[in-house]
Amino acid sequence: MAENDDKSGDEMHRSQVAQRHYEPDGRGELTTAIVYAIAEAEGIPPSEVKSPPLYESVNAPAIEDAFFGPTAAGRSRRGNGTVEFQYGDYLVEVRSDGWIRVYERTDQRGS
């Protein structure tokens, strides 16, 4: 079942406005990468991404653990999937390959 393929309907038409790649073996956390992607979409510094607080929209540490955390055997987990959540007027997509994409709704009426 391809749930992500239906973003072209009138009510769901969105345009990608920002993206950022998260490196699970790097120094930053997934939460930080998401905030930077949202800030890029809004055209503001990351320190100004405050309302609503990200934790009210998504549990980013849980996504990080599910996609990138260690297994019980101590090896790095590589989950497979996508998590989407609404942040203000944006749809944020976090993929298990590390890509974070931010979309905004576009008006398709009057064509």
Side-chain angles (χ1 to χ4, degrees):
M1 190 162 97
E3 294 176 11
N4 292 334
D5 293 343
D6 191 25
K7 290 183 185 173
S8 60
D10 289 338
E11 70 280 356
M12 292 294 291
H13 191 79
R14 298 188 179 264
S15 175
Q16 183 177 320
V17 292
Q19 73 176 5
R20 185 170 190 88
H21 192 259
Y22 168 67
E23 292 290 340
D25 298 327
R27 297 182 64 174
E29 296 177 351
L30 179 61
T31 300
T32 303
I34 293 170
V35 167
Y36 272 76
I38 292 169
E40 180 182 334
E42 293 186 345
I44 60 173
S47 62
E48 292 184 22
V49 175
K50 296 179 182 175
S51 183
L54 186 61
Y55 67 83
E56 289 183 3
S57 298
V58 70
N59 185 340
I63 297 170
E64 186 169 21
D65 186 51
F67 284 166
F68 312 110
T71 64
R75 286 177 270 146
S76 178
R77 177 181 311 165
R78 292 295 179 191
N80 187 17
T82 301
V83 173
E84 294 179 348
F85 62 94
Q86 197 71 33
Y87 182 85
D89 293 334
Y90 299 105
L91 174 72
V92 180
E93 176 185 83
V94 180
R95 296 173 34 149
S96 59
D97 62 4
W99 282 105
I100 300 161
R101 294 190 171 104
V102 182
Y103 299 90
E104 68 180 359
R105 187 176 315 227
T106 57
D107 186 9
Q108 293 297 307
R109 293 180 229 177
S111 302

